[in-house]
Amino acid sequence: MQELIECKNISKTYGKKPALKNVSFSLPLRGVFALIGRNGAGKTTLIKILSTLLEPTSGTAEIGKINIVKNPAEIRKSIAVLSQEAKAVNWLTPRQQIFIYLLYRGMGINEAKMKTEEVIKTFKIGKNADIVNSRLSGGIKRKVLIAMVISTGSKILFLDEPTIGLDPIAREELWYILRRLKKTHFIFLTTHYLNEAEALADNIGIFDEGRLVQIGTLQELRKNINYQYSIYVQESRISLKSLKRYGKVVKGIDNKLQLLVDQKNADLLSKRFIQQKIRFSINPISLEDIFYYFTKKQILEESYE
Ligand SMILES: Nc1ncnc2c1ncn2[C@@H]1O[C@H](COP(=O)(O)OP(=O)(O)O)[C@@H](O)[C@H]1O
Ligand SMILES: [Mg+2]
């Protein structure tokens, strides 16, 4: 039988402030699950609860049938976590940092040595492996932390905003590694980079103000919207009012309006804009469009409202 990660009505309040509201989902324990949401949406809180660093106010979860509230010690043995606040220890070198971390997790000396060398190779950190962290760039330090978590060999990884601060090339390198890993691992990650979720995720969750508002594959999320195309119109002489009846206006910045439309209205408006020589662009909807749609945070300047 397929192993699952199952969240059952998890809520969390800090004092009186709700951070998570009845979060429930069930996913197979394989591939990548990317959780996206604005700052403060509750992503870190959920990761902390699932990785037993924090107790839920109510509700519970199981990871491969192990209950996170009843058996936190068991859970900790089977997972590895990169927390959002994780920092490289300044006075250690990457090689030392990874090795010590593995010993701390209870690995034997020889295995820890072997795993350290293995991950240094995979992550191509060899030339920086013996320079103290304080002298390394932020991007390299981030890479070392991710390498450290992956070196544990845990098949269940929680990565809270793993690629924040990485340059585009370093990010693509990590994607390459994660794509290979996800064939044999379950990777739960949070990210602000929607292209990262698109590139890696088998399932995507959209978080908004402590609620899981959507979950599914990109195709499934697409199906949950009635619009298939996104149109950007650059001309300010088009009034918002005249567009509203064709679809959903989601953004209006710098004289650019973004409108989500269905197939029929995509045809209709394209023809109209061409006839009237109005500049526009049209694309199938992206994850970014879906995200704006479901989080209901439309970016509209006052003049458009
Ligand atoms: N230790 C804490 N004490 C009080 N409030 C907190 C604490 N941690 C997080 N919060 C609040 O809970 C909400 C969710 O935060 P968080 O889970 O960090 O969101 P995200 O990771 O999506 O940015 C935010 O409003 C945040 O201010
Ligand atoms: Mg966070």
Side-chain angles (χ1 to χ4, degrees):
M1 210 183 76
Q2 176 119 243
E3 287 204 297
L4 299 173
I5 175 165
E6 286 193 282
C7 250
K8 300 169 184 172
N9 290 310
I10 289 195
S11 293
K12 177 76 190 173
T13 40
Y14 291 109
K16 277 186 185 158
K17 195 175 162 208
L20 294 180
K21 301 167 188 160
N22 265 313
V23 175
S24 294
F25 64 86
S26 173
L27 287 173
L29 265 182
R30 62 180 158 73
V32 172
F33 174 50
L35 194 57
I36 57 180
R38 291 158 54 100
N39 286 329
K43 304 178 296 297
T44 296
T45 303
L46 182 62
I47 284 203
K48 282 188 176 162
I49 289 175
L50 291 175
S51 57
T52 77
L53 297 171
L54 200 65
E55 282 202 4
T57 308
S58 62
T60 190
E62 283 178 2
I63 302 178
K65 291 271 177 241
I66 308 169
N67 190 289
I68 57 153
V69 181
K70 289 183 197 145
N71 279 316
E74 279 297 301
I75 294 278
R76 274 176 225 152
K77 273 189 229 157
S78 58
I79 65 172
V81 189
L82 176 69
S83 78
Q84 195 177 348
E85 305 95 36
K87 289 217 163 62
V89 181
N90 268 334
W91 41 273
L92 291 177
T93 67
R95 183 174 264 118
Q96 292 167 337
Q97 161 122 17
I98 296 169
F99 178 62
I100 291 171
Y101 177 75
L102 291 176
L103 291 184
Y104 168 76
R105 279 191 54 113
M107 208 180 262
I109 290 182
N110 288 335
E111 194 186 354
K113 264 193 188 145
M114 203 180 75
K115 293 282 180 199
T116 304
E117 296 315 312
E118 213 176 278
V119 84
I120 284 175
K121 220 168 136 194
T122 322
F123 276 77
K124 299 192 192 119
I125 34 188
K127 87 175 164 20
N128 295 307
D130 297 309
I131 300 173
V132 284
N133 286 326
S134 60
R135 291 173 176 243
L136 296 174
S137 73
I140 304 267
K141 282 192 270 196
R142 196 79 207 149
K143 212 161 142 178
V144 170
L145 290 173
I146 299 166
M148 180 182 87
V149 170
I150 288 174
S151 71
T152 61
S154 287
K155 294 280 185 251
I156 301 171
L157 304 174
F158 290 92
L159 309 176
D160 198 354
E161 294 190 29
T163 62
I164 207 151
L166 289 186
D167 68 51
I169 294 170
R171 181 171 300 138
E172 296 240 3
E173 278 172 7
L174 180 71
W175 292 359
Y176 177 76
I177 293 167
L178 293 182
R179 268 199 214 106
R180 261 190 318 174
L181 272 185
K182 77 175 192 168
K183 293 178 187 153
T184 47
H185 289 59
F186 172 67
I187 303 162
F188 185 134
L189 64 85
T190 69
T191 184
H192 284 288
Y193 304 105
L194 300 181
N195 63 341
E196 184 159 298
E198 258 177 306
L200 294 175
D202 300 284
N203 286 288
I204 296 168
I206 301 181
F207 242 48
D208 191 33
E209 295 177 352
R211 278 182 224 281
L212 182 65
V213 290
Q214 281 288 311
I215 185 166
T217 62
L218 186 55
Q219 286 77 358
E220 284 165 347
L221 300 190
R222 279 217 167 95
K223 274 195 201 132
N224 293 348
I225 297 192
N226 297 325
Y227 308 113
Q228 288 80 43
Y229 290 91
S230 154
I231 295 182
Y232 275 97
V233 201
Q234 310 225 338
E235 295 263 346
S236 49
R237 63 187 157 106
I238 297 171
S239 80
L240 178 64
K241 247 192 193 150
S242 74
L243 286 177
K244 262 185 173 165
R245 60 196 162 99
Y246 294 104
K248 189 177 171 76
V249 182
V250 282
K251 266 194 247 176
I253 282 178
D254 295 340
N255 276 351
K256 253 195 213 169
L257 279 173
Q258 189 195 4
L259 182 70
L260 302 183
V261 290
D262 62 15
Q263 180 82 50
K264 190 174 129 250
N265 283 325
D267 276 350
L268 204 112
L269 281 176
S270 304
K271 281 192 191 122
R272 182 182 137 191
F273 291 152
I274 291 169
Q275 258 170 18
Q276 300 179 351
K277 295 197 169 59
I278 289 173
R279 292 178 63 173
F280 75 103
S281 63
I282 182 161
N283 279 297
I285 56 166
S286 63
L287 180 59
E288 190 178 332
D289 302 326
I290 295 173
F291 177 74
Y292 282 118
Y293 180 84
F294 284 116
T295 50
K296 297 186 183 71
K297 296 287 181 324
Q298 296 156 35
I299 306 176
L300 285 176
E301 279 177 359
E302 275 169 21
S303 59
Y304 286 112
E305 282 174 324

